Amino acid sequence: DGGITQSPKYLFRKEGQNVTLSCEQNLNHDAMYWYRQDPGQGLRLIYYSQIVNDFQKGDIAEGYSVSREKKESFPLTVTSAQKNPTAFYLCASRVWGGGETQYFGPGTRLLVL
Amino acid sequence: GENVEQHPSTLSVQEGDSAVIKCTYSDSASNYFPWYKQELGKGPQLIIDIRSNVGEKKDQRIAVTLNKTAKHFSLHITETQPEDSAVYFCAASNPDRGSTLGRLYFGRGTQLTVWP
């Protein structure tokens, strides 16, 4: 999985609860991305970030928040405003400038109790 | 924004046969086209990619072709094996476009099953 770790592997959320998914990379990559995967829908972009303390919304950012306090870390919070959070969440990263390949982590499966 | 269409959504082949998956894209500025393989419960792994200044690229049993004029690209797997069974995703991007940080636009995926 190319030096990207995601935790936990499985996460359960109760109604009205915020939960945070961890993504860490030791590849010294600049850009990091969060995707949501639902069956038959491919990967949809939630948020992305190029540098510390800067990030942009993707196509489905509503109900999610992120932070980028360190270059190697890009945690995703699924808030209670996200009404349908059950999905497989994938974090990715790439070098900025001269590198094209995005490397993915192993994913976190979020389930609602 | 970019729109990537991928077909077929499912593909079953006999071991040893070839498999072809096709994708089209809409943004003529896209110039990088990776293919990912995803096994059940795991993150996608890059298997091959191509830049728009190249028409074809091969890596052992895997090849990708690109028709920039028609805006379509295809993945070809020859001599398929049961371990090739997985979901395959195509994607398109412009890694040099600073405003989008080279984000990938994905197709919806193809479930490939190779029967022994």
Side-chain angles (χ1 to χ4, degrees):
Chain A
D1 294 312
I4 301 175
T5 58
Q6 290 187 242
S7 61
K9 190 175 174 75
Y10 296 96
L11 186 58
F12 298 91
R13 192 191 92 163
K14 296 180 181 177
E15 191 132 355
Q17 187 181 41
N18 293 351
V19 293
T20 297
L21 285 62
S22 169
C23 176
E24 305 275 332
Q25 51 97 2
N26 61 4
L27 303 168
N28 199 32
H29 285 175
D30 308 284
M32 297 186 74
Y33 308 79
W34 272 107
Y35 294 89
R36 169 178 170 144
Q37 186 174 26
D38 297 281
Q41 293 215 40
L43 282 72
R44 293 183 290 167
L45 185 64
I46 305 173
Y47 269 99
Y48 53 110
S49 166
Q50 181 185 355
I51 57 173
V52 171
N53 294 325
D54 186 55
F55 42 83
Q56 287 79 42
K57 292 182 179 180
D59 301 323
I60 55 166
E62 186 174 349
Y64 300 97
S65 65
V66 293
S67 63
R68 188 91 185 270
E69 296 178 0
K70 298 185 296 182
K71 184 177 181 179
E72 58 271 22
S73 177
F74 191 38
L76 174 74
T77 296
V78 183
T79 74
S80 56
Q82 173 51 245
K83 297 307 178 188
N84 184 22
T86 298
F88 191 47
Y89 290 87
L90 289 158
C91 178
S93 70
R94 65 171 278 231
V95 171
W96 182 250
E100 304 150 327
T101 304
Q102 279 192 28
Y103 296 92
F104 282 84
T108 292
R109 187 164 298 281
L110 177 60
L111 300 164
V112 176
L113 294 176
Chain B
E2 174 67 280
N3 182 46
V4 177
E5 300 278 346
Q6 182 173 347
H7 298 281
S9 56
T10 60
L11 180 60
S12 292
V13 299
Q14 203 72 35
E15 183 178 1
D17 288 349
S18 295
V20 180
I21 302 170
K22 299 181 179 182
C23 290
T24 61
Y25 62 99
S26 60
D27 187 353
S28 57
S30 289
N31 58 9
Y32 173 64
F33 308 92
W35 285 88
Y36 286 86
K37 175 183 180 182
Q38 185 179 28
E39 297 177 344
L40 192 62
K42 296 185 178 180
Q45 299 284 321
L46 179 76
I47 55 171
I48 196 167
D49 56 9
I50 191 168
R51 269 275 195 179
S52 61
N53 57 350
V54 175
E56 183 176 2
K57 184 177 178 180
K58 285 184 180 179
D59 183 3
Q60 299 182 348
R61 296 187 296 110
I62 295 173
V64 56
T65 59
L66 171 66
N67 184 325
K68 197 177 172 185
T69 303
K71 297 199 193 75
H72 66 71
F73 56 112
S74 301
L75 177 71
H76 304 253
I77 306 174
T78 59
E79 300 172 25
T80 54
Q81 301 166 3
E83 49 266 38
D84 293 330
S85 297
V87 178
Y88 291 81
F89 291 98
C90 63
S93 80
N94 184 337
D96 309 313
R97 184 178 283 165
S99 61
T100 59
L101 300 185
R103 59 160 293 178
L104 291 171
Y105 295 84
F106 283 88
R108 292 196 168 199
T110 297
Q111 173 67 62
L112 173 65
T113 303
V114 181
W115 299 101

